[in-house]
Amino acid sequence: MSYRGRMDFAMSAKGQDYYDRLTAFMTAHVFPAEESYEAYRRQMGPDDHTVPPVVEELKSLAKAEGLWNLFLPSESGLSNLEYAPLAELSGWSGEIAPEVLNCAAPDTGNMETLHLFANDEQRAQWLEPLLAGEIRSAFAMTEPAVASSDARNIQTTMLRDGDDYVINGRKWWITGVADPRCKILIVMGRTNPDAASHQQQSMILVPVDTPGVRVERSLPVFGWQDQHGHCEISFDNVRVPVANLLGEEGSGFAIAQARLGPGRIHHCMRAIGVAERALALMVDRVQTRIAFGKPLAEQGVVQQQIALSRNEIDQTRLLCHKAAWTIDQHGNKSREAQKQVAQIKAVAPQMACNVIDRAIQVHGGAGVSDDVPLARLYAWHRAMRLFDGPDEVHMRTIARAELGAEKSPFAEAACRLVHTAGH
């Protein structure tokens, strides 16, 4: 690792202004809305995926206060490093805050993709209403029949037929499709099975109401049905115009990499906020709960769990900010940025699971109930170790970067000593 250049993670004046305003907005509006949100979801039941009305109310407030589209530098003017603390704040209320700021996945990744690769007509039809928060979208890549962590395995076909592409296949874990506001899918599939392995796939825009698109089911995560749903979708002779192709035919892999990099780090930023909330709940709990004649906070094992949690959160935040800084300095496609995004994606979900699990433990039976949000938070962040690439894929990326790196002069000298000694 080279240390050339000065890394400065200090919050800029602009970033501080957004941070202060978002803190006030979260405290005054978002946290009080959680009860209304949950009450609506309980009343409607798990199979109803309409958005609780309080979300649309808060979206209007956030837009009016300029807390809107913060994730996209071309819209907000914020760098990735400036956005990181704001995304962390939104993670404290992850079911509500990201969406009311128009910073929720998968729309953020889709908006970035359309911003980078869509033509003028596609931007006008789909990007503009997404930026305005008028519709939602989904990204359809993963498939049930193959190991989709290797995108070369994707079997969905998108074959040219005159002025159309005809799509056949099945996707699953397609987040957001159950929400009735979801109007557009970005679908990855095979357009040329005879091309080189990384040029067989393309991405095509498919309106949800296109004939042949069928939502088969919404998959629960550890028994929970999210409001937006994680769906299995079938495509049966779905016809869309050639004009719906994103970029060039065969560019699916390149588009996927451009899309997934920012999305991965945004998830990690929010995971830090989730872990902070879990730690806050843990600290509050142990100061008021008595066991064996004294507060849990005085038990040595509990103190160790709190200290470990603080260490892990702060270490993860520094790694996340370093990755964000590197993207700002060298671009999302740079080798160093790709390695650091892989690092933080492997670290942040595991850290969040660790902290949430400790918080569940000190809450006892309450920790696995719906009375506190910990069980649901754990379920989502355990799933996060799979989506946007499983831990193992990111660890392989990190290892390959290390194995392929040029040895530093210190490493050369140290290894030479061992070789000279006959080992």
Side-chain angles (χ1 to χ4, degrees):
M1 172 64 197
S2 172
Y3 288 92
R4 295 190 186 96
R6 178 172 177 263
M7 293 186 188
D8 186 354
F9 299 160
M11 197 175 293
S12 67
K14 182 176 184 178
Q16 186 68 59
D17 174 64
Y18 271 102
Y19 189 88
D20 293 342
R21 289 192 289 123
L22 182 55
T23 298
F25 181 81
M26 294 275 295
T27 304
H29 301 293
V30 175
F31 289 126
E34 289 184 345
E35 185 175 351
S36 171
Y37 183 96
E38 292 299 332
Y40 183 89
R41 293 281 291 134
R42 286 193 298 270
Q43 177 187 347
M44 302 306 291
D47 296 327
D48 189 307
H49 295 279
T50 56
V51 66
V54 70
V55 170
E56 295 295 346
E57 296 167 10
L58 290 176
K59 282 169 64 175
S60 297
L61 281 174
K63 190 181 292 188
E65 295 192 20
L67 299 170
W68 192 254
N69 290 332
L70 304 177
F71 73 98
L72 192 59
S74 62
E75 291 290 317
S76 66
L78 293 166
S79 67
N80 286 283
L81 182 58
E82 288 172 320
Y83 177 58
L86 308 179
E88 179 180 329
L89 286 180
S90 73
W92 279 72
S93 187
E95 284 188 290
I96 301 177
E99 181 174 357
V100 305
L101 306 173
N102 214 36
C103 293
D107 291 325
T108 49
N110 290 341
M111 285 187 271
E112 286 172 304
T113 300
L114 292 168
H115 172 72
L116 290 172
F117 299 102
N119 59 38
D120 290 342
E121 292 76 17
Q122 291 167 343
R123 290 192 186 99
Q125 186 174 7
W126 301 115
L127 178 58
E128 293 306 320
L130 281 168
L131 288 170
E134 297 168 356
I135 64 172
R136 294 211 66 180
S137 62
F139 182 68
M141 187 173 88
T142 306
E143 297 183 0
V146 298
S148 301
S149 55
D150 180 356
R152 293 173 299 179
N153 291 335
I154 288 173
Q155 297 299 306
T156 294
T157 58
M158 304 192 298
L159 303 179
R160 180 80 177 259
D161 181 24
D163 292 333
D164 293 334
Y165 282 101
V166 180
I167 306 173
N168 284 282
R170 185 172 288 254
K171 302 286 188 179
W172 75 339
W173 293 111
I174 311 307
T175 297
V177 184
D179 191 318
R181 298 169 299 162
C182 182
K183 303 301 181 185
I184 187 67
L185 307 172
I186 298 178
V187 182
M188 185 168 177
R190 194 182 297 270
T191 47
N192 185 355
D194 298 322
S197 61
H198 285 83
Q199 296 177 333
Q200 294 180 8
Q201 308 281 349
S202 301
M203 290 198 187
I204 293 178
L205 295 165
V206 180
V208 174
D209 60 1
T210 305
V213 176
R214 178 181 173 84
V215 178
E216 302 289 348
R217 57 175 175 153
S218 178
L219 294 148
V221 178
F222 285 94
W224 274 288
Q225 279 283 1
D226 288 328
Q227 178 268 315
H228 42 262
H230 307 287
C231 296
E232 184 170 355
I233 310 173
S234 60
F235 298 86
D236 184 11
N237 289 319
V238 175
R239 283 187 172 268
V240 295
V242 170
N244 285 27
L245 181 71
L246 267 180
E248 299 178 352
E249 189 172 292
S251 63
F253 276 91
I255 295 174
Q257 287 305 308
R259 182 192 184 279
L260 288 171
R264 285 167 176 153
I265 196 171
H266 294 165
H267 277 305
C268 297
M269 293 168 181
R270 289 188 290 268
I272 297 167
V274 169
E276 287 283 11
R277 183 167 187 171
L279 179 56
L281 291 171
M282 177 162 47
V283 169
D284 182 72
R285 177 76 169 187
V286 301
Q287 290 177 332
T288 58
R289 203 74 168 176
I290 305 297
F292 304 105
K294 59 183 179 181
L296 287 176
E298 296 181 17
Q299 307 283 353
V301 66
V302 172
Q303 292 178 352
Q304 184 183 40
Q305 291 173 340
I306 290 171
L308 281 172
S309 298
R310 171 49 60 205
N311 287 347
E312 290 177 6
I313 291 171
D314 287 356
Q315 289 165 350
T316 302
R317 180 183 292 111
L318 285 170
L319 183 57
C320 187
H321 286 193
K322 181 183 177 185
W325 180 90
T326 302
I327 292 173
D328 290 335
Q329 297 297 313
H330 303 291
N332 183 50
K333 294 182 180 180
S334 69
R335 184 172 298 178
E336 190 61 30
Q338 289 178 350
K339 184 185 80 168
Q340 289 182 21
V341 169
Q343 285 181 273
I344 190 58
K345 180 58 174 65
V347 167
Q350 182 64 72
M351 176 278 297
C353 286
N354 292 345
V355 177
I356 297 165
D357 186 67
R358 295 175 194 130
I360 288 172
Q361 196 70 14
V362 301
H363 277 76
V368 294
S369 76
D370 288 344
D371 288 356
V372 292
L374 294 168
R376 186 167 66 250
L377 294 177
Y378 182 87
W380 176 250
H381 287 81
R382 181 59 185 86
M384 188 177 161
R385 292 182 57 199
L386 295 169
F387 63 69
D388 280 358
D391 290 355
E392 292 80 2
V393 170
H394 297 300
M395 296 296 275
R396 184 182 67 167
T397 297
I398 299 162
R400 284 180 169 179
E402 289 298 307
L403 291 168
E406 184 179 349
K407 285 183 180 178
S408 71
F410 270 38
E412 286 280 7
C415 293
R416 193 179 304 118
L417 283 174
V418 174
H419 295 317
T420 303
H423 297 286

